[in-house]
Amino acid sequence: MSDNGSLRRGRPGYDQQGILEVAVAAFNQYGYDATSMGVLADRLGLSKSAIYHHFASKDEILERALDDALSALEGVLNEADAAGGRAADRVDQVLRGAVHVLVSKLANVTLLLRVRGNTEVERRALARRRAFDKAVTALVEEAQAEGTLRSDIDASVVSRLLFGMINSIVEWYRPGGREDADKLADDVIAVALDGLRMPTANRVEELLG
């Protein structure tokens, strides 16, 4: 597999990125297992040997697509960690960043969410997803400990609910609609964090009993 971001040039019409985009669309439409190299060749109008000039195998195409989505999500976490400040603010940053990744890489994230672990490539991707989820849960726990997020809900449940909501966007979001990524992220924060932040002082005693 070539280094991330490098493009191997071959026959005219498609570079590696162009083939990747068509392949991801096919994987999402038919399912990865059901999409043969012959199907990809037909959609691209290329011979299979022309595809093999860019990618050694169908698994390599999948790996590149999944890595693109996962690296972007991991980058969101890294940026939040580097920003420092209150944990609740970093949770906000991660959620907003994840929405932006989903919108900008909609097809790749859709593919990632459909991975079931049937191949070694998929299992590695799932391991990275679990590590991401674990890091988000730890960040929620940190915010709960500092008192900026309510602590009466288990942090792992909070993380699953938050990303369940974000991940569901792939099922209905269409680029060019009424909401861009910024507005969509605002809506996610309004629904999620406004319900999780500690209540006003007159409600604290009631919640504490």
Side-chain angles (χ1 to χ4, degrees):
M1 179 174 169
S2 61
D3 293 339
N4 283 347
S6 66
L7 295 179
R8 289 180 292 190
R9 297 281 177 175
R11 301 179 69 173
Y14 286 97
D15 60 15
Q16 192 178 63
Q17 184 60 35
I19 291 174
L20 186 65
E21 290 171 1
V22 173
V24 170
F27 294 160
N28 283 332
Q29 181 176 354
Y30 303 117
Y32 174 72
D33 292 335
T35 305
S36 66
M37 292 296 273
V39 169
L40 294 182
D42 287 343
R43 289 187 70 141
L44 288 160
L46 299 174
S47 67
K48 286 191 283 187
S49 62
I51 300 175
Y52 285 125
H53 179 84
H54 293 279
F55 294 98
S57 65
K58 192 175 74 164
D59 273 356
E60 185 184 358
I61 299 174
L62 178 65
E63 186 172 25
R64 272 290 301 273
L66 297 178
D67 180 69
D68 186 51
L70 284 161
S71 293
L73 289 170
E74 291 161 353
V76 166
L77 270 175
N78 292 337
E79 289 173 7
D81 287 342
R86 297 191 317 163
D89 294 334
R90 282 179 278 138
V91 171
D92 183 303
Q93 184 176 345
V94 167
L95 298 182
R96 290 181 186 276
V99 171
H100 276 267
V101 168
L102 189 148
V103 170
S104 65
K105 301 179 181 295
L106 185 62
N108 290 42
V109 175
T110 299
L111 182 62
L112 173 63
L113 295 176
R114 294 177 180 175
V115 162
R116 294 294 177 266
N118 296 327
T119 67
E120 182 58 33
V121 168
E122 292 178 77
R123 287 188 285 274
R124 288 197 296 268
L126 286 176
R128 288 173 69 180
R129 272 193 66 187
R130 286 191 293 270
F132 177 86
D133 292 343
K134 185 176 180 180
V136 173
T137 298
L139 184 55
V140 171
E141 288 176 338
E142 185 180 345
Q144 290 174 329
E146 74 183 9
T148 51
L149 290 185
R150 56 191 290 177
S151 57
D152 57 328
I153 306 174
D154 184 88
S156 63
V157 173
V158 171
S159 179
R160 289 189 181 97
L161 289 173
L162 291 174
F163 274 87
M165 177 172 58
I166 291 172
N167 293 342
S168 72
I169 294 172
V170 304
E171 303 299 332
W172 57 265
Y173 180 77
R174 296 295 177 269
R178 292 183 300 173
E179 296 204 343
D180 60 12
D182 287 332
K183 183 61 171 66
L184 189 56
D186 287 342
D187 290 345
V188 167
I189 296 302
V191 171
L193 289 190
D194 287 349
L196 286 172
R197 289 192 174 112
M198 290 297 290
T200 55
N202 64 327
R203 289 275 292 143
V204 171
E205 291 185 4
E206 179 182 339
L207 286 174
L208 295 178

